[in-house]
PDB file of all heavy atoms in Angstrom:
ATOM      1  N   ASN A  10      23.209  15.906  -9.755  1.00 98.00           N
ATOM      2  CA  ASN A  10      23.381  17.320 -10.076  1.00 98.00           C
ATOM      3  C   ASN A  10      24.391  17.879  -9.077  1.00 98.00           C
ATOM      4  O   ASN A  10      24.080  18.029  -7.897  1.00 98.00           O
ATOM      5  CB  ASN A  10      22.024  18.035  -9.961  1.00 98.00           C
ATOM      6  CG  ASN A  10      22.147  19.534 -10.129  1.00 98.00           C
ATOM      7  OD1 ASN A  10      23.209  20.046 -10.504  1.00 98.00           O
ATOM      8  ND2 ASN A  10      21.069  20.257  -9.854  1.00 98.00           N
ATOM      9  N   LYS A  12      25.644  20.797  -8.943  1.00 98.00           N
ATOM     10  CA  LYS A  12      25.442  22.224  -8.657  1.00 98.00           C
ATOM     11  C   LYS A  12      26.776  22.988  -8.681  1.00 98.00           C
ATOM     12  O   LYS A  12      27.647  22.659  -9.484  1.00 98.00           O
ATOM     13  CB  LYS A  12      24.703  22.382  -7.321  1.00 98.00           C
ATOM     14  CG  LYS A  12      23.392  21.574  -7.305  1.00 98.00           C
ATOM     15  CD  LYS A  12      22.479  21.900  -6.147  1.00 98.00           C
ATOM     16  CE  LYS A  12      21.230  21.021  -6.248  1.00 98.00           C
ATOM     17  NZ  LYS A  12      20.225  21.351  -5.249  1.00 98.00           N
ATOM     18  N   HIS A  96      15.854  24.195 -13.560  1.00 98.00           N
ATOM     19  CA  HIS A  96      16.041  23.786 -12.163  1.00 98.00           C
ATOM     20  C   HIS A  96      15.490  24.868 -11.243  1.00 98.00           C
ATOM     21  O   HIS A  96      15.558  26.058 -11.565  1.00 98.00           O
ATOM     22  CB  HIS A  96      17.528  23.545 -11.871  1.00 98.00           C
ATOM     23  CG  HIS A  96      17.748  22.914 -10.528  1.00 98.00           C
ATOM     24  ND1 HIS A  96      17.820  23.662  -9.382  1.00 98.00           N
ATOM     25  CD2 HIS A  96      17.854  21.619 -10.166  1.00 98.00           C
ATOM     26  CE1 HIS A  96      17.975  22.831  -8.353  1.00 98.00           C
ATOM     27  NE2 HIS A  96      18.006  21.595  -8.805  1.00 98.00           N
ATOM     28  N   GLU A 168      10.752  18.157  -8.839  1.00 97.00           N
ATOM     29  CA  GLU A 168      11.542  18.536  -7.672  1.00 97.00           C
ATOM     30  C   GLU A 168      10.759  19.554  -6.851  1.00 97.00           C
ATOM     31  O   GLU A 168      10.817  20.761  -7.133  1.00 97.00           O
ATOM     32  CB  GLU A 168      12.885  19.147  -8.113  1.00 97.00           C
ATOM     33  CG  GLU A 168      13.759  18.194  -8.886  1.00 97.00           C
ATOM     34  CD  GLU A 168      15.235  18.556  -8.750  1.00 97.00           C
ATOM     35  OE1 GLU A 168      15.613  19.708  -9.005  1.00 97.00           O
ATOM     36  OE2 GLU A 168      16.006  17.670  -8.354  1.00 97.00           O
ATOM     37  N   ALA A 172      11.622  20.468  -0.811  1.00 92.00           N
ATOM     38  CA  ALA A 172      12.367  19.247  -0.490  1.00 92.00           C
ATOM     39  C   ALA A 172      13.826  19.333  -0.926  1.00 92.00           C
ATOM     40  O   ALA A 172      14.623  18.446  -0.613  1.00 92.00           O
ATOM     41  CB  ALA A 172      11.703  18.041  -1.158  1.00 92.00           C
ATOM     42  N   ILE A 173      14.181  20.411  -1.634  1.00 89.00           N
ATOM     43  CA  ILE A 173      15.537  20.505  -2.179  1.00 89.00           C
ATOM     44  C   ILE A 173      16.504  21.022  -1.133  1.00 89.00           C
ATOM     45  O   ILE A 173      16.351  22.136  -0.632  1.00 89.00           O
ATOM     46  CB  ILE A 173      15.563  21.411  -3.435  1.00 89.00           C
ATOM     47  CG1 ILE A 173      14.693  20.794  -4.539  1.00 89.00           C
ATOM     48  CG2 ILE A 173      16.979  21.628  -3.919  1.00 89.00           C
ATOM     49  CD1 ILE A 173      14.609  21.640  -5.788  1.00 89.00           C
ATOM     50  N   GLY A 174      17.482  20.206  -0.800  1.00 86.00           N
ATOM     51  CA  GLY A 174      18.529  20.611   0.120  1.00 86.00           C
ATOM     52  C   GLY A 174      18.053  20.819   1.546  1.00 86.00           C
ATOM     53  O   GLY A 174      18.768  21.369   2.375  1.00 86.00           O
ATOM     54  N   GLY A 213      14.899  15.888  -4.655  1.00 96.00           N
ATOM     55  CA  GLY A 213      14.610  16.590  -3.395  1.00 96.00           C
ATOM     56  C   GLY A 213      14.953  15.694  -2.234  1.00 96.00           C
ATOM     57  O   GLY A 213      14.159  14.847  -1.841  1.00 96.00           O
ATOM     58  N   SER A 214      16.183  15.870  -1.725  1.00 95.00           N
ATOM     59  CA  SER A 214      16.657  15.099  -0.566  1.00 95.00           C
ATOM     60  C   SER A 214      16.587  13.587  -0.780  1.00 95.00           C
ATOM     61  O   SER A 214      16.243  12.845   0.134  1.00 95.00           O
ATOM     62  CB  SER A 214      15.913  15.518   0.706  1.00 95.00           C
ATOM     63  OG  SER A 214      16.171  16.891   0.989  1.00 95.00           O
ATOM     64  N   VAL A 215      16.917  13.156  -2.003  1.00 97.00           N
ATOM     65  CA  VAL A 215      17.050  11.717  -2.239  1.00 97.00           C
ATOM     66  C   VAL A 215      18.324  11.242  -1.538  1.00 97.00           C
ATOM     67  O   VAL A 215      19.366  11.883  -1.621  1.00 97.00           O
ATOM     68  CB  VAL A 215      17.131  11.397  -3.750  1.00 97.00           C
ATOM     69  CG1 VAL A 215      17.466   9.929  -3.975  1.00 97.00           C
ATOM     70  CG2 VAL A 215      15.816  11.760  -4.433  1.00 97.00           C
ATOM     71  N   LEU A 233      16.857  12.642  -9.406  1.00 98.00           N
ATOM     72  CA  LEU A 233      17.798  13.732  -9.650  1.00 98.00           C
ATOM     73  C   LEU A 233      18.325  14.115  -8.261  1.00 98.00           C
ATOM     74  O   LEU A 233      17.585  14.630  -7.430  1.00 98.00           O
ATOM     75  CB  LEU A 233      17.100  14.907 -10.343  1.00 98.00           C
ATOM     76  CG  LEU A 233      17.961  16.086 -10.775  1.00 98.00           C
ATOM     77  CD1 LEU A 233      19.172  15.654 -11.598  1.00 98.00           C
ATOM     78  CD2 LEU A 233      17.139  17.073 -11.599  1.00 98.00           C
ATOM     79  N   VAL A 234      19.593  13.817  -8.039  1.00 98.00           N
ATOM     80  CA  VAL A 234      20.154  13.845  -6.696  1.00 98.00           C
ATOM     81  C   VAL A 234      21.138  15.001  -6.561  1.00 98.00           C
ATOM     82  O   VAL A 234      22.017  15.170  -7.402  1.00 98.00           O
ATOM     83  CB  VAL A 234      20.892  12.508  -6.409  1.00 98.00           C
ATOM     84  CG1 VAL A 234      21.307  12.430  -4.954  1.00 98.00           C
ATOM     85  CG2 VAL A 234      20.042  11.309  -6.803  1.00 98.00           C
ATOM     86  N   GLY A 235      20.991  15.788  -5.513  1.00 98.00           N
ATOM     87  CA  GLY A 235      21.926  16.877  -5.250  1.00 98.00           C
ATOM     88  C   GLY A 235      22.976  16.451  -4.244  1.00 98.00           C
ATOM     89  O   GLY A 235      23.955  15.783  -4.579  1.00 98.00           O
ATOM     90  N   GLY A 236      22.770  16.820  -2.981  1.00 97.00           N
ATOM     91  CA  GLY A 236      23.767  16.591  -1.932  1.00 97.00           C
ATOM     92  C   GLY A 236      24.343  15.184  -1.875  1.00 97.00           C
ATOM     93  O   GLY A 236      25.570  15.007  -1.794  1.00 97.00           O
TER      94      GLY A 236
HETATM   95  P1  LIG B   1      19.167  17.712  -2.859  1.00 91.65           P
HETATM   96  O1  LIG B   1      19.251  16.238  -3.249  1.00 91.65           O
HETATM   97  O2  LIG B   1      20.422  18.225  -2.255  1.00 91.65           O
HETATM   98  O3  LIG B   1      17.938  18.000  -2.085  1.00 91.65           O
HETATM   99  O4  LIG B   1      19.014  18.520  -4.257  1.00 91.65           O
HETATM  100  C1  LIG B   1      18.061  18.117  -5.160  1.00 91.65           C
HETATM  101  C2  LIG B   1      18.278  18.836  -6.438  1.00 91.65           C
HETATM  102  O5  LIG B   1      18.092  20.034  -6.532  1.00 91.65           O
HETATM  103  C3  LIG B   1      18.755  18.063  -7.602  1.00 91.65           C
HETATM  104  O6  LIG B   1      18.670  18.806  -8.766  1.00 91.65           O
END
Side-chain angles (χ1 to χ4, degrees):
N10 174 9
K12 306 192 181 186
H96 189 275
E168 298 206 307
I173 297 177
S214 298
V215 172
L233 185 51
V234 188

